């Protein structure tokens, strides 16, 4: 490792305590697979016992999927100037199909080496890029099609199963059968199942060989629904460390992948910091950087500049690229009648280029060459929806569906090259038109994973678009969308801040989980069951700790009932002691038991009047105590 440059030494070594603080009563655990270097992180939440007359009754701890990386592990030594441990490095080396490059082979490397002003941007001491050996294809899809189960696939199988087998005794496994619209989710995810889904193109594992820090994850409709968060500075720039901070903040709350949508200055350097410190896949929209390289003039873009940008980013370790190759020249006029025209940044750039040159989109005409680059680094396609509707008015129109058909055609070309592919989707769509989007995507793209932006189900709530869109996201997730791209409350209004990022991620975790429940994903309901049990038993601390956002749950409870004694009180300030339905039910059950009655129904009939008086007295007593 070479010496660390000055500006790195000046940077902060770590992210804030707010991002790294372990979750309450939670423990980071690692489940080992078939080899000692395969350890899958999870979070175990422990809960208290249920007090009963016969003494305390044990409650099982819950294991949850954990995307937060080593940041929430108090054992981990993290220096963001040095990047995260490279847990995949051994696996990549072992395959023997890649070679290290001495330097970046893109213009970035050449310019930097010849330019003393750029010398400070050297990153080799952190990361030496690698590439597939001549003729090799290093995509997970390529291995999968040849029947090879990679360590990444095994890792994912363990991760998706979430130690469900340990819940068997807990009594919390009962759940409603789901309605999965044709998805086939097995009761246990095996490494072989992961392999077969990737081979079939129904799932992708975004995992660039230049991102060895990555904790592998999968995007596909027979797996847990994933969510993506966006970060990135704009011309009105935030500092590089702030971007790393935002990344860690986003994954803390559950983002499964992060897209760096940076534009403006220091785009390469910002991305380098993000990737080296990211345990989740990082996606980008390379056309944004290409546009910077031509001074923001879309018509000056060329295939050569774009290609060079792809190589530059692939060598850094970007795991998936949004490529707006479906914005064809003939579709552009179809957007003229729209209410809101083209709202995709990448889509509008390509439309402008097509019109300026009156030529077909160069991303489309050079698509096979793009595939060659993708397979040399295992970068996955996220085929961009450059013509997605930007208003309810424009939903499901000809331009949108025309582009989707082209994306289907491109999917098959990508698969021919064994390049992993997912498809981006809308946008703004009213609820009753959402299903049609999913059905058409599955048909046109032969079940390649769908990755949608919301969709927003109404346009009337700027400031609340994490909600308008989480409604659509939950629905489309249920119908089969594999990953949901988050929308923050600042959508349409400005760059999101830290709080907005959290609000967006939590809203989307809710949507994704609601979809998992509806699809009947095995074990999806365990956490709901555990939380409900805690709620019913007035185990307030457990209720907070089992929730997606324990801080907010606790804070809201403390607002009106701050005392420690309140954390065991058998009511909250919403209904007060007299009207707590859960308390009353509990009393009814106790009463039934004391009278030896078989069912509560009977107790209700025969005991209501008698009980009424008792409730009043009891309630008053509890209130005084608290
Ligand atoms: C996701 C689904 N449809 C669009 N997205 C995301 O929107 C895409 O992945 C990227 O993060 C963001 C911006 O894309 P445009 O506006 O350049 O299309
Ligand atoms: Fe919008």
């Amino acid at each position: 490792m070479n010496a660390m440059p000055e500006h790195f030494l000046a940077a902060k070594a770590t992210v804030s305590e707010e991002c790294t603080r372990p979750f309450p009563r939670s423990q980071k655990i690692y489940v080992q697979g078939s080899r000692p270097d395969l350890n899958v992180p999870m979070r175990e939440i422990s809960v208290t016992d249920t007090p009963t007359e016969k003494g305390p009754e044990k409650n099982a701890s819950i294991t949850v999927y954990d995307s937060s990386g080593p940041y929430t592990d108090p054992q981990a030594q993290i220096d963001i100037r040095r990047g995260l441990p490279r847990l995949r490095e051994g696996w990549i080396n072992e395959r023997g199909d890649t070679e290290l490059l001495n330097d970046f082979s893109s213009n970035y490397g050449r310019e930097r080496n010849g330019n003393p002003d750029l010398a400070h941007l050297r990153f080799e001491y952190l990361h030496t890029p690698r590439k597939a050996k001549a003729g090799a294809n290093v995509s997970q899809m390529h291995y999968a099609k040849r029947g090879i189960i990679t360590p990444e696939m095994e890792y994912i199988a363990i991760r998706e199963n979430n130690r469900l087998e340990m819940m068997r005794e807990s009594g919390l496994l009962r759940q409603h059968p789901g309605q999965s619209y044709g998805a086939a989710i097995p009761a246990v995810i095996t490494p072989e199942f992961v392999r077969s889904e990737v081979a079939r193109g129904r799932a992708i594992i975004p995992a660039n060989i230049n991102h060895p820090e990555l904790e592998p994850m999968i995007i596909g409709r027979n797996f847990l629904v994933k969510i993506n968060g966006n970060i990135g500075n704009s011309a009105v720039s935030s500092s590089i460390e702030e971007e790393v901070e935002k990344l860690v903040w986003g994954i803390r709350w559950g983002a499964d992948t992060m897209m760096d949508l940076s534009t403006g200055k220091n785009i390469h350097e910002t991305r380098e910091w993000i990737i080296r410190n990211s345990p989740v896949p990082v996606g980008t929209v390379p056309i944004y950087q290409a546009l910077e390289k031509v001074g923001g003039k879309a018509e000056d873009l060329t295939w050569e500049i774009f290609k060079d940008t792809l190589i530059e980013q692939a060598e850094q370790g970007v795991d998936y690229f949004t490529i707006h190759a479906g914005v064809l020249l003939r579709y552009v006029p179809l957007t003229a009648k729209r209410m809101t025209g083209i709202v995709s940044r990448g889509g509008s750039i390509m439309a402008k280029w097509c019109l300026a040159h009156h030529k077909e989109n160069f991303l489309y005409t050079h698509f096979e060459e793009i595939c060659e680059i993708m397979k040399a680094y295992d970068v996955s396609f996220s085929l961009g929806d450059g013509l997605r509707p930007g208003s309810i008015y424009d939903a499901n129109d000809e331009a949108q569906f025309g582009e989707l058909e082209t994306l289907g055609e491109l999917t098959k070309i990508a698969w021919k090259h064994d390049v992993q592919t997912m498809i981006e989707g809308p946008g703004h769509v009213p609820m009753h038109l959402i299903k049609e989007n999913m059905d058409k995507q599955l048909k046109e793209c032969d079940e390649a994973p769908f990755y949608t932006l919301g969709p927003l189900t109404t346009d009337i709530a700027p400031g609340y678009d994490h909600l308008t869109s989480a409604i659509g996201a939950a629905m489309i997730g249920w119908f089969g969308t594999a990953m949901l791209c988050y929308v923050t409350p600042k959508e349409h209004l400005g760059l999101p801040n830290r709080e907005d990022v959290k609000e967006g991620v939590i809203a989307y975790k809710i949507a994704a989980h609601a979809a998992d429940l509806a699809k009947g994903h095995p074990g999806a309901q365990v956490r709901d069951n555990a939380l409900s049990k805690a709620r019913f038993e007035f185990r307030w601390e457990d209720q907070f700790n089992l929730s997606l956002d324990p801080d907010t749950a606790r804070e809201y409870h403390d607002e009106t009932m701050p005392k420690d004694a309140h954390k065991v009180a058998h009511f909250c300030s919403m209904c007060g002691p007299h009207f707590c339905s859960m308390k009353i039910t509990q009393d009814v059950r106790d009463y039934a038991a004391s009278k030896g009655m078989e069912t509560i129904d009977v107790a209700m009939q025969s005991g209501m009047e008698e009980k009424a008086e008792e409730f009043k007295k009891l309630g008053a007593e509890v209130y005084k105590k608290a």
Side-chain angles (χ1 to χ4, degrees), residues 18-243:
E18 267 178 294
C19 287
T20 57
R21 184 190 309 156
F23 281 86
R25 294 227 10 163
S26 285
Q27 201 191 346
K28 188 107 184 171
I29 55 162
Y30 296 90
V31 177
Q32 197 181 317
S34 66
R35 40 192 288 170
D37 64 349
L38 200 160
N39 298 290
V40 184
M42 293 176 194
R43 174 156 70 94
E44 187 179 279
I45 310 171
S46 30
V47 290
T48 59
D49 300 337
T50 302
T52 70
E53 268 165 26
K54 285 173 238 126
E57 225 167 62
K58 265 227 124 357
N59 286 302
S61 53
I62 299 291
T63 307
V64 297
Y65 193 102
D66 187 357
S67 60
S68 65
Y71 295 100
T72 48
D73 182 350
Q75 248 51 261
Q77 304 272 322
I78 294 168
D79 181 343
I80 64 166
R81 299 167 308 181
R82 292 191 182 281
L84 296 179
R86 299 171 201 175
L87 65 98
R88 286 175 66 228
E89 195 160 62
W91 308 344
I92 296 165
N93 280 335
E94 202 165 86
R95 294 196 270 260
D97 50 7
T98 59
E99 58 198 4
L100 289 172
L101 305 171
N102 290 325
D103 202 351
F104 289 103
S105 52
S106 61
N107 275 328
Y108 167 76
R110 283 191 288 277
E111 278 172 22
R112 188 208 47 205
N113 288 337
N115 184 344
D117 293 344
L118 294 175
H120 71 285
L121 294 181
R122 293 188 74 92
F123 284 97
E124 291 79 62
Y125 71 94
L126 274 186
H127 172 66
T128 309
R130 67 169 77 222
K131 191 183 174 184
K133 284 183 182 162
N137 181 339
V138 296
S139 82
Q140 293 286 326
M141 187 184 213
H142 189 65
Y143 303 131
K145 281 191 180 171
R146 284 184 297 156
I148 298 169
I149 294 174
T150 60
E152 284 86 345
M153 295 169 196
E154 184 192 342
Y155 188 104
I156 285 162
I158 296 170
R159 200 169 192 187
E160 293 277 326
N161 284 327
N162 229 339
R163 298 210 301 177
L164 204 57
E165 72 287 351
M166 292 180 55
M167 299 303 300
R168 218 147 269 151
E169 307 292 295
S170 71
L172 297 174
L173 273 184
R174 211 181 117 185
Q175 67 181 40
H176 301 282
Q179 179 175 0
S180 67
Y181 293 102
I185 307 161
V188 178
I189 306 281
T190 59
E192 167 52 28
F193 181 71
V194 174
R195 187 206 60 76
S196 66
E197 288 292 291
V198 172
R200 166 68 181 73
R202 208 150 39 200
I204 66 166
I205 303 174
N208 187 325
I209 51 167
N210 285 307
H211 190 191
E213 301 86 352
L214 178 84
E215 294 176 348
M217 55 79 75
I218 194 160
I219 302 168
R221 76 186 163 118
N222 289 323
F223 300 92
L224 293 165
V225 175
K226 304 303 189 300
I227 66 167
N228 169 68
N230 294 325
I231 46 171
N233 59 357
S234 60
V236 218
S237 154
S238 39
S239 81
I240 292 176
E241 287 144 289
E242 262 173 60
E243 292 309 309

Side-chain angles (χ1 to χ4, degrees), residues 343 390 428 456 491-492:
V343 294
H428 294 236
L456 287 75
E491 181 75 13
H492 303 117

Side-chain angles (χ1 to χ4, degrees), residues 269-281:
E269 200 183 10
T270 306
R271 196 167 48 233
E272 186 70 32
W273 278 63
I274 289 173
I275 296 170
R276 298 287 73 82
N277 288 294
S278 178
V280 302

Side-chain angles (χ1 to χ4, degrees), residues 230 259 261 288 322 324 344-346 385 388 424-425 451 453:
N230 294 325
M259 290 197 73
L261 303 181
Y288 297 173
T322 294
H324 298 88
S344 152
R345 285 204 267 186
D385 56 340
R388 65 174 172 269
E424 296 191 359
Y451 163 38
L453 183 60

